Amino acid sequence: MHLPALRCVALAASLCAACLNIAPAQAAPTTTPIKHLIVVVGENVSFDTLYGTYVPPRGQSVFNLVSQGIVKADGTPGANYGKAVQSTAGNSSGVYTLSPQRSGSYAKLPQPTMIGLYNPATLQLYGAIPDPRFAGLTANGPFQITKYASYTTGVGDPVHRFFQMWQQTGGSNERLDLFTWVATSVGQGGATGGVTVGNTGQGGELMGFFNLNQGDAPYFKSLAQNWAISDNYHQFIMGGTGANFFGIATGDAAVYKLNGALAVPPANQIENPDPQSGSDNFYSNDGYSGGSYVNCSDINQPGVAAVRAALDAKGRAHNCETGAYYLVNNYDPPYNVDGTPKALGATNYVYPPQTVPTIGESLSAHGVTWRWYTGGREDADVSGDPLFPTIKAQVAAAMKAQLGLPAGTPDAALEPTLTSLAIKTGRPYLYNSIGDPHNASSTVVTTPALFASLKGLNSFYNDVASGSLPEVSYVVPKNLDSGHPGYSAPARYEAFLQDLISRVQANPTLWADTAIVITTDEGGGYFDSGYIQNIDFFGDGPRIPLVVVSPYAKHNYVDHTYHDHASVLKFIERNWSLPTLSVRSRDNLPNPVRNLNNLYKPTNEPAIGDLTSLFNFPANNQ
């Protein structure tokens, strides 16, 4: 996702009054000892980027950069580094393809850029200029980020969009060499500001990894050594934050409907990944202010034939309703935080209100309490953030200039308008609107008892402290704490997680029956070497980290069962005896049958697990 540059805006609309989600007198029965589930979702790091150098305990294995010999434990190239050396390529066919013509290897990666990075003094983007920290980079494959930049500072933001990821991985990731070429030839698409065929804004940043053996990601390393991790957990859909968060909440994809009926989006919002005339691979219509919908039921639509051919070759259903246009990249959800609707239209990159069934609706219908806590949603989240004084000072300066007041006018003279306006101005920096997918559901937003379950982090911390946490909690950090490259860093996500886990463990009664599931929404476009199942048109996507922290989690354990975001839905449904969300949702898939010849490829594909393989439950709960 992308954050705005700071600007003075009109007075914020008042938020709706907070409501309480009243718990039933008795908690719903569970099939395991887990009575409280907390799902924490950070942003944009692949498994290899974070755990590519992790060395498991004796007697266990992991599939990562070190185990494959791509890099050594010290981060230098290994004997099999050539497996991940990046290829140059071209596409002269005029149509989107998953098999461009390879033309050789990069002598060295293009210099990483500062795309997505903010100047901390001005809160303005640096832009997609070369990052001087990486001027000496000579690798033509994976490289250790912290040989050039501190672990605690941000780095450039790789492209992470739907058709780009399909093209980078070929769908299954059997060849690992096109990540860089696709990123640099397309970028975020020409319908994204500043992206042109001559300057896509991307370099080699997506090939970077952190090194746990040299002090990087110390808390993530500690989590792996004390709890259970998966090296076969995947993002739900190829592409970015919004579509993956929607999948987390629904096991499905958002669809373009108006007044309850399938409709055709504005033409400029329909994806066209066929290369522009005269370009090698620069998509005709793709970007955050352009192509993001696809009618994948129609094989004549741009880009559809190539993906459908990959599915057909493996006998996989596409799961595309006839005439439906699905949102496969980031648009804003259709409601504001107060529940008021946003305007739709060709130049408003907002998707319509959704009726796709959500996990929240299912939990409420079956008497299971839940809340979705998104950092920045509540005013207290914003006004209590360390960034707020800087934002408030800049808003105050802008107000004084607009009102013709002397610069030395006390800020108190601008109240209460100043604080209200500063909160509204600061919210986009902190609130992950596309990470709040229930705020896209017309049923949730228009039903007060359901809408009351959408909260901010201030409420989460209060609920933990007071012992009133619901049975199922989803927690989304503030943007700056999410680990997202550019405006955040994994070190910020580590600090957030360490604080959250400490708060839960400080309440022994709560901790005794809690499972904390930690992951990211998607891999952020970073390189990963893991196998990907072709489940349907939408994904799966590349591997991302998953950690389970619980008194019942396996200790110092690496699980190889194939999972994706719908696995969390399956765990909830198994634990609280709920039905699947819909006939379309991915939680209908069976659990994997173990393949003794390849632990990462189920024999009964398509199949995804339900997370229980990461736990040690009593025999009667298995």
Side-chain angles (χ1 to χ4, degrees):
M1 64 169 295
H2 302 274
L3 302 182
L6 184 66
R7 60 194 183 280
C8 192
V9 294
L11 180 62
S14 61
L15 296 177
C16 66
C19 304
L20 292 178
N21 181 18
I22 305 300
Q26 185 173 356
T30 61
T31 62
T32 78
I34 302 303
K35 305 297 182 183
H36 293 91
L37 177 68
I38 303 172
V39 183
V40 189
V41 188
E43 289 202 72
N44 293 44
V45 64
S46 73
F47 182 82
D48 272 338
T49 304
L50 187 62
Y51 281 117
T53 59
Y54 179 64
V55 178
R58 185 181 298 274
Q60 292 198 52
S61 64
V62 67
F63 191 85
N64 64 7
L65 299 177
V66 169
S67 70
Q68 296 176 79
I70 293 174
V71 302
K72 300 175 185 177
D74 65 1
T76 59
N80 296 323
Y81 189 76
K83 182 178 180 181
V85 165
Q86 296 298 285
S87 295
T88 56
N91 179 16
S92 60
S93 68
V95 296
Y96 177 79
T97 178
L98 301 185
S99 303
Q101 186 66 42
R102 289 164 170 85
S103 55
S105 299
Y106 282 92
K108 65 176 184 178
L109 296 173
Q111 186 171 342
T113 76
M114 300 185 75
I115 189 168
L117 281 163
Y118 280 74
N119 183 324
T122 64
L123 300 185
Q124 302 295 315
L125 289 163
Y126 284 110
I129 60 176
D131 190 330
R133 295 173 296 178
F134 295 90
L137 179 65
T138 59
N140 62 355
F143 66 91
Q144 183 176 325
I145 295 170
T146 49
K147 296 290 187 184
Y148 305 90
S150 166
Y151 174 66
T152 60
T153 59
V155 293
D157 184 14
V159 58
H160 41 282
R161 291 180 61 83
F162 181 81
F163 281 107
Q164 285 89 329
M165 281 194 186
W166 263 105
Q167 197 171 47
Q168 286 171 318
T169 65
S172 60
N173 217 24
E174 292 169 9
R175 298 182 69 174
L176 307 174
D177 61 329
L178 290 180
F179 280 79
T180 301
W181 175 76
V182 174
T184 56
S185 63
V186 185
Q188 297 171 353
T192 300
V195 177
T196 66
V197 66
N199 181 14
T200 63
Q202 296 285 311
E205 52 275 343
L206 77 171
M207 298 303 297
F209 63 87
F210 299 105
N211 193 335
L212 276 65
N213 304 306
Q214 296 189 342
D216 300 344
Y219 191 63
F220 279 117
K221 182 178 181 179
S222 174
L223 290 174
Q225 292 175 329
N226 286 280
W227 308 105
I229 70 169
S230 169
D231 66 349
N232 205 11
Y233 184 90
H234 297 252
Q235 61 184 71
F236 181 85
I237 182 174
M238 298 285 191
T241 291
N244 276 287
F245 266 105
F246 195 86
I248 290 170
T250 66
D252 205 344
V255 63
Y256 195 89
K257 286 185 176 182
L258 298 176
N259 300 317
L262 293 175
V264 179
N268 67 304
Q269 296 184 0
I270 297 174
E271 280 276 3
N272 184 353
D274 291 342
Q276 288 185 9
S277 177
S279 77
D280 261 352
N281 199 47
F282 194 73
Y283 298 168
S284 295
N285 186 29
D286 175 73
Y288 293 106
S289 298
S292 288
Y293 290 102
V294 61
N295 176 6
C296 50
S297 69
D298 183 355
I299 203 167
N300 294 312
Q301 292 287 316
V304 173
V307 175
R308 290 273 298 271
L311 297 173
D312 292 345
K314 296 186 176 181
R316 304 290 158 78
H318 49 73
N319 201 26
C320 303
E321 182 181 354
T322 300
Y325 282 82
Y326 294 96
L327 183 67
V328 294
N329 287 304
N330 294 355
Y331 275 2
D332 281 342
Y335 297 101
N336 297 301
V337 291
D338 63 356
T340 56
K342 298 176 184 176
L344 303 178
T347 58
N348 296 321
Y349 304 104
V350 174
Y351 61 98
Q354 296 293 298
T355 57
V356 180
T358 65
I359 187 60
E361 294 166 74
S362 180
L363 288 165
S364 288
H366 293 87
V368 183
T369 57
W370 68 280
R371 289 192 179 108
W372 191 290
Y373 303 93
T374 309
R377 183 178 177 89
E378 296 172 348
D379 285 2
D381 294 346
V382 181
S383 61
D385 190 86
L387 184 66
F388 188 68
T390 299
I391 292 173
K392 189 173 181 180
Q394 294 193 23
V395 172
M399 288 181 67
K400 293 170 188 176
Q402 290 178 350
L403 296 172
L405 298 174
T409 302
D411 289 354
L414 304 176
E415 296 292 5
T417 302
L418 171 58
T419 294
S420 178
L421 184 55
I423 288 173
K424 183 174 182 181
T425 303
R427 177 165 282 119
Y429 287 93
L430 305 175
Y431 172 58
N432 183 355
S433 62
I434 58 178
D436 198 0
H438 284 85
N439 207 43
S441 167
S442 59
T443 302
V444 171
V445 173
T446 61
T447 305
L450 295 175
F451 190 61
S453 289
L454 306 186
K455 299 290 187 182
L457 278 182
N458 190 62
S459 288
F460 174 75
Y461 295 139
N462 289 338
D463 289 347
V464 171
S466 65
S468 58
L469 203 66
E471 290 154 284
V472 176
S473 303
Y474 285 84
V475 180
V476 181
K478 297 176 186 176
N479 287 327
L480 302 184
D481 296 325
S482 68
H484 193 297
Y487 50 79
S488 186
R492 295 286 296 267
Y493 189 32
E494 282 190 305
F496 176 84
L497 291 171
Q498 189 165 11
D499 175 68
L500 182 150
I501 293 170
S502 296
R503 289 173 186 255
V504 173
Q505 291 177 330
N507 182 335
T509 302
L510 174 62
W511 168 242
D513 61 15
T514 291
I516 304 172
V517 174
I518 299 164
T519 187
T520 61
D521 57 345
E522 38 104 359
Y526 277 112
F527 175 84
D528 187 79
S529 61
Y531 169 71
I532 302 170
Q533 278 192 70
N534 296 147
I535 291 178
D536 53 30
F537 185 86
F538 308 101
D540 256 356
R543 294 184 306 169
I544 52 179
L546 179 94
V547 184
V548 174
V549 177
S550 171
Y552 295 95
K554 293 178 179 177
H555 175 71
N556 198 6
Y557 180 74
V558 182
D559 184 69
H560 309 310
T561 307
Y562 195 103
H563 294 100
D564 78 2
H565 283 319
S567 298
V568 179
L569 299 176
K570 291 185 67 172
F571 180 85
I572 292 170
E573 290 158 359
R574 173 172 174 164
N575 196 50
W576 280 278
S577 301
L578 308 182
T580 55
L581 295 182
S582 73
V583 295
R584 286 183 43 83
S585 55
R586 202 175 285 175
D587 50 344
N588 287 282
L589 291 175
N591 284 342
V593 174
R594 189 178 185 186
N595 182 344
L596 295 179
N597 294 318
N598 189 325
L599 298 177
Y600 298 90
K601 298 182 180 182
T603 61
N604 60 330
E605 292 188 24
I608 57 171
D610 61 9
L611 301 186
T612 54
S613 55
L614 289 98
F615 291 89
N616 273 323
F617 291 132
N620 60 339
N621 294 126
Q622 294 295 318

